[in-house]
Amino acid sequence: MKKLGRVIMVVCAVMLMVVMATACGGSEDAKTLNVEGSWKRALNDGMLTPEQVQIYTTYLEGLPSQDVVLKFESGSKLTVTAKVDGKETSSEGSYRVEGDYVTVIDPTGYAAGTAGTFKMSRKNDRLLIEGSEYQYVCFVKQ
């Protein structure tokens, strides 16, 4: 009887380990950041003082590009649309997702105020540009 109890306990322990390993594993696809869709530039005011909100709001309103939207499409295609001098304009760029980050290549500079490449991460349903100089800029899913 003792032997049967030990066998049952060992079988249960093995089954529990298999279930835990399967549940914790997951596929690599599940861990990849999904950014497809449209994201509009906004002020990331969650960590700012009221004075900083005013300063950065004024700065964003003073940029030549307004109503900036990043549209992430399949195949790493990025479309950047914005109102520049009152006229809607769009341009193509590209992006790549690497783990928890998306690297954006914006040849227009409309997104962050300067042309080039920058990394973004998703936090609290917002895309944030990495780097302390851009902490006030975020993109919100449309």
Side-chain angles (χ1 to χ4, degrees):
M1 196 58 139
K2 281 185 171 180
K3 191 173 186 177
L4 180 62
R6 285 184 184 157
V7 169
I8 290 173
M9 195 167 17
V10 168
V11 168
C12 287
V14 169
M15 288 175 48
L16 181 62
M17 289 187 329
V18 168
V19 168
M20 288 176 57
T22 304
C24 293
S27 68
E28 285 299 314
D29 292 336
K31 295 179 184 177
T32 301
L33 180 64
N34 182 4
V35 294
E36 285 189 12
S38 295
W39 297 77
K40 186 171 183 176
R41 185 176 69 193
L43 179 65
N44 184 26
D45 57 3
M47 304 181 327
L48 302 176
T49 66
E51 294 81 18
Q52 289 173 317
V53 168
Q54 182 62 40
I55 290 168
Y56 291 127
T57 299
T58 302
Y59 174 75
L60 287 175
E61 289 172 353
L63 289 174
S65 57
Q66 296 298 312
D67 299 327
V68 178
V69 175
L70 302 178
K71 185 176 181 186
F72 297 95
E73 301 176 43
S74 62
S76 298
K77 180 182 175 187
L78 173 70
T79 303
V80 181
T81 59
K83 284 186 182 172
V84 180
D85 297 326
K87 297 177 184 175
E88 180 135 339
T89 183
S90 67
S91 180
E92 288 188 10
S94 63
Y95 73 97
R96 67 181 175 276
V97 175
E98 300 166 314
D100 292 336
Y101 296 94
V102 59
T103 301
V104 173
I105 299 147
D106 176 17
T108 64
Y110 298 154
T114 182
T117 302
F118 54 90
K119 264 187 167 177
M120 300 171 77
S121 61
R122 188 170 185 169
K123 293 182 180 106
N124 299 328
D125 293 327
R126 296 176 175 207
L127 287 177
L128 302 174
I129 298 174
E130 293 296 305
S132 60
E133 68 271 20
Y134 294 113
Q135 290 297 313
Y136 59 91
V137 177
C138 71
F139 289 83
V140 180
K141 182 99 182 208
Q142 299 295 288

